[in-house]
Amino acid sequence: GNITEEEYISSSMSFTMLTSLFMVIAIVIFSIGLSGAMKVIRQLAWDEPVFLKDDFLSGIKQNSKIFIFIGLIFGIISLYNNFITMSINESILKYLSVGVSYCFVYPILAIACMIAPVYIIKFGQVLKNSMFFYIKCVLRLGIGFLAGVIGNHF
């Protein structure tokens, strides 16, 4: 049948927001597996013996809480950015929110994913250390991260 433009926009927004909500759940599940994989990668980088199943499971046991929090933050910010992008037509807020996420929040969370398996510290300390590291190396990390993001979008 025929639908009006308003009905189309409404159903499109509903589908996008529902998909984004499921994406948050998927990111959290992915982050649990990532915590185990990062432990294996750490073992390989330090040239230590790797027992894939044991190291993967011990990585989940050691780091899953931190990675779940990182995944939740990433997912919620992505959900918020999708909501802002869909609800605001033409405003600087739309681009400011996404820009701040790509320039500051996502790189800090990426650094936190690299720090978490190396040091046995609490989540707040992981975020604090990753923020300090990002601020110290903002030009090198920020430009490289943006180049990767821009390369993936075009």
Side-chain angles (χ1 to χ4, degrees), residues 36-143:
M38 290 300 287
K39 168 78 180 219
V40 172
I41 291 170
R42 182 187 73 91
Q43 297 289 98
L44 289 170
W46 289 0
D47 202 26
E48 293 180 357
V50 175
F51 304 99
L52 190 62
K53 180 183 173 191
D54 296 334
D55 289 336
F56 185 80
L57 292 176
S58 72
I60 290 174
K61 184 178 178 184
Q62 290 174 358
N63 302 317
S64 63
K65 289 179 188 174
I66 292 174
F67 276 82
I68 287 172
F69 284 133
I70 291 170
L72 270 174
I73 292 170
F74 182 85
I76 290 170
I77 290 174
S78 296
L79 179 69
Y80 174 76
N81 283 337
N82 284 342
F83 176 74
I84 290 294
T85 303
M86 301 241 2
S87 62
I88 298 176
N89 288 334
E90 293 298 322
S91 173
I92 190 73
L93 290 176
K94 177 180 187 176
Y95 302 108
L96 186 65
S97 172
V98 174
V100 166
S101 297
Y102 280 118
C103 291
F104 298 106
V105 178
Y106 294 152
I108 289 171
L109 292 177
I111 293 169
C113 286
M114 291 181 270
I115 289 175
V118 176
Y119 304 105
I120 301 173
I121 52 179
K122 296 188 186 240
F123 176 69
Q125 191 65 36
V126 168
L127 277 184
K128 184 176 159 185
N129 290 349
S130 60
M131 281 190 276
F132 285 140
F133 189 75
Y134 180 73
I135 290 168
K136 182 179 176 187
C137 304
V138 71
L139 286 177
R140 284 185 287 156
L141 292 172
I143 291 172

